[in-house]
Amino acid sequence: MSTDTPIVIFDTTLRDGEQSPGCTMHHAEKLRFAHQLARLGVDIIEAGFAIASHGDFDSVQTIAREVGGAEAAPRIASLARCKREDIEAAARAVEPARKSRIHVFLASSDLHLEAKLKISRTQALDNVGTSVRLARTFADDVEFSTEDGTRSNLDFLIQMITVAIQAGATTINIPDTVGYTTPTEYKHLFETVRRRIPGSDQIVFSTHCHNDLGLAVANSLAGLEGGARQIECTINGIGERAGNAALEEIVAAIATRHDRYPFKTNIVMNQLYPTSRMLGEIISFGAPPNKAVVGKNAFAHESGIHQHGVLSNPLTYEIMTPASVGFTGQNIVLGKHSGRRALEYRLAEMGYKLSHQEIDAVYERFIELADRKKNIYDQDVIGLLQPSVGETLVSNVP
Ligand code: KIV
Ligand code: ZN
């Protein structure tokens, strides 16, 4: 029996992801994507911010009914500020789900309290207590987030979290709202908060990392090392500004470096690539080609040395198999850096069995073409098999 520690995967593609430029989704698209998130096996879908608009409310409610209504469905969450009308809207929107969550947040940094909310620390603490208590009248499962937590005064952060727990919060999220923290610092923050708050072993602590310094995934994993047991993340890492921690990178890191991260998730790994592709079809951009785990080039090898290695034994240059994450693209890509072996492999895949002599002749033409042309497609390779006038190049060309 596995002794790995279970980690809750909280997907916020439809909330934090959707609220970033180019990522807007319509009602039907959100519903389609929520069904895919359920197939992927996420534990919690943050379906939106119910108070934000009628459209958002309807989407959260429909997802709660149609995705969250099924047996073994993910829990459906809605975000709410510390305001009565937000909490009531969130409660109504998630009500049809079998398992629901109200996710309440308030800023904990002095910068946000003074410049944005214009309230004192005392008012903030009152607000948190009242709001979490109200949320608990509607749901057993209430998450509280300390917005800008990583830039907050530590003693005040601990005070705010303590108030939220006493008011009934069951999950405490410490967001790195502006992507400012570092792995060591974030790990240490969870360790300190958990050590200093009595009864924190009864609470699930959560990470929520933005990627402004490109550290969102590293910080999330460091949060786990510090005792966090929920990770908030998005598909393809979409989200405010530089985005959120990418779900696919976190679960791939846990699966691949299990020796360092002895955790388990409910993610169905071979649904990662299809989910990433679906999101790319829905919003106005897909994962960049060099994106870890799900990018078009994540498993592509073009240089002769790498192709030779991978064709001999994929472990030479692949730390996980493309199939394990549901990747269906080409991994041996032909270009000017490719060697004979790769050309022969591609030809064999297309059904052409060539002699050594024939391969040599075709390879010469191939290199000449690849020097002129950036992308070599299957049609180009087939074209290379056609003999020039008066030449016998390949004997078995149909
Ligand atoms: O980044 C952030 O602080 C958030 C909270 C609302 C959870 O998205
Ligand atoms: Zn966020």
Side-chain angles (χ1 to χ4, degrees):
M1 209 173 109
S2 160
T3 54
D4 296 338
T5 307
I7 298 301
V8 176
I9 297 293
F10 176 115
D11 181 277
T12 183
T13 309
L14 293 172
R15 198 279 297 169
D16 210 330
E18 204 255 350
Q19 72 194 34
S20 59
C23 297
T24 311
M25 299 181 219
H26 301 306
H27 184 87
E29 293 168 336
K30 285 188 180 175
L31 182 59
R32 177 177 170 227
F33 193 68
H35 277 297
Q36 178 59 28
L37 288 174
R39 271 192 290 279
L40 177 64
V42 307
D43 302 291
I44 303 175
I45 297 176
E46 186 164 53
F49 193 179
I51 195 76
S53 67
H54 290 302
D56 261 44
F57 181 92
D58 288 345
S59 295
V60 178
Q61 197 175 47
T62 308
I63 291 169
R65 190 173 53 242
E66 298 195 13
V67 180
E71 212 173 309
R75 189 176 290 280
I76 309 298
S78 172
L79 188 65
R81 289 167 299 182
C82 278
K83 290 175 184 271
R84 172 172 283 278
E85 61 273 27
D86 279 41
I87 294 166
E88 287 175 350
R92 278 200 310 282
V94 296
E95 207 263 329
R98 277 179 184 244
K99 289 180 286 176
S100 60
R101 170 174 294 187
I102 302 176
H103 177 189
V104 183
F105 76 100
L106 190 80
S108 53
S109 68
D110 290 329
L111 181 61
H112 278 231
L113 293 182
E114 284 161 22
K116 187 181 72 175
L117 300 174
K118 301 191 189 324
I119 58 172
S120 65
R121 285 186 177 183
T122 313
Q123 285 170 311
L125 295 179
D126 278 356
N127 218 340
V128 171
T130 312
S131 302
V132 172
R133 264 192 302 280
L134 175 65
R136 276 303 304 261
T137 64
F138 297 110
D140 291 340
D141 188 315
V142 172
E143 172 171 334
F144 177 70
S145 288
T146 58
E147 190 191 13
D148 206 20
T150 54
R151 291 193 304 166
S152 302
N153 171 279
L154 181 62
D155 291 331
F156 182 64
L157 180 73
I158 288 174
Q159 238 183 313
M160 187 179 267
I161 292 173
T162 307
V163 168
I165 293 174
Q166 283 167 354
T170 46
T171 296
I172 294 291
N173 179 33
I174 310 180
D176 184 31
T177 304
V178 289
Y180 179 73
T181 199
T182 66
T184 320
E185 185 182 68
Y186 203 44
K187 174 184 174 201
H188 189 63
L189 180 62
F190 281 100
E191 283 168 349
T192 310
V193 167
R194 287 174 53 245
R195 190 179 60 247
R196 285 184 48 186
I197 296 182
S200 52
D201 52 331
Q202 302 303 309
I203 299 295
V204 175
F205 282 87
S206 175
T207 68
H208 178 111
C209 296
H210 282 269
N211 206 29
D212 300 66
L213 294 175
L215 291 172
V217 169
N219 287 337
S220 306
L221 293 168
L224 294 185
E225 291 175 321
R229 291 296 173 256
Q230 172 179 286
I231 293 195
E232 302 194 358
C233 46
T234 61
I235 298 297
N236 294 348
I238 67 166
E240 289 280 4
R241 304 178 311 280
N244 287 64
L247 182 152
E248 59 279 2
E249 294 179 23
I250 289 162
V251 297
I254 292 174
T256 308
R257 293 309 309 274
H258 191 249
D259 54 330
R260 306 296 304 188
Y261 303 113
F263 304 114
K264 62 179 176 209
T265 71
N266 291 319
I267 294 297
V268 180
M269 296 296 284
N270 66 11
Q271 286 297 315
L272 288 173
Y273 188 66
T275 310
S276 162
R277 289 298 293 261
M278 183 188 286
L279 181 65
E281 278 165 31
I282 292 175
I283 63 175
S284 53
F285 55 90
N290 63 335
K291 168 84 179 58
V293 185
V294 291
K296 181 168 161 277
N297 290 353
F299 296 96
H301 308 280
E302 192 194 302
S303 85
I305 294 171
H306 286 214
Q307 290 177 332
H308 184 86
V310 167
L311 291 172
S312 305
N313 179 347
L315 292 178
T316 51
Y317 290 102
E318 285 177 0
I319 58 168
M320 52 197 148
T321 66
S324 68
V325 297
F327 184 86
T328 52
Q330 272 296 337
N331 67 337
I332 297 295
V333 177
L334 294 179
K336 70 171 183 176
H337 306 108
S338 303
R340 268 182 188 64
R341 180 99 193 264
L343 179 66
E344 193 177 357
Y345 169 83
R346 188 78 208 109
L347 284 165
E349 274 203 328
M350 289 192 284
Y352 298 104
K353 181 105 188 66
L354 274 62
S355 69
H356 278 307
Q357 254 177 328
E358 288 169 336
I359 285 285
D360 284 347
V362 175
Y363 184 69
E364 220 170 283
R365 291 178 159 217
F366 164 77
I367 283 299
E368 195 258 317
L369 176 69
D371 256 338
R372 285 184 283 116
K373 199 167 180 288
K374 278 193 178 163
N375 300 312
I376 306 285
Y377 301 107
D378 286 354
Q379 305 91 290
D380 297 316
V381 177
I382 292 169
L384 295 171
L385 301 179
Q386 306 304 324
S388 315
V389 182
E391 208 184 347
T392 315
L393 195 60
V394 172
S395 51
N396 68 344
V397 175

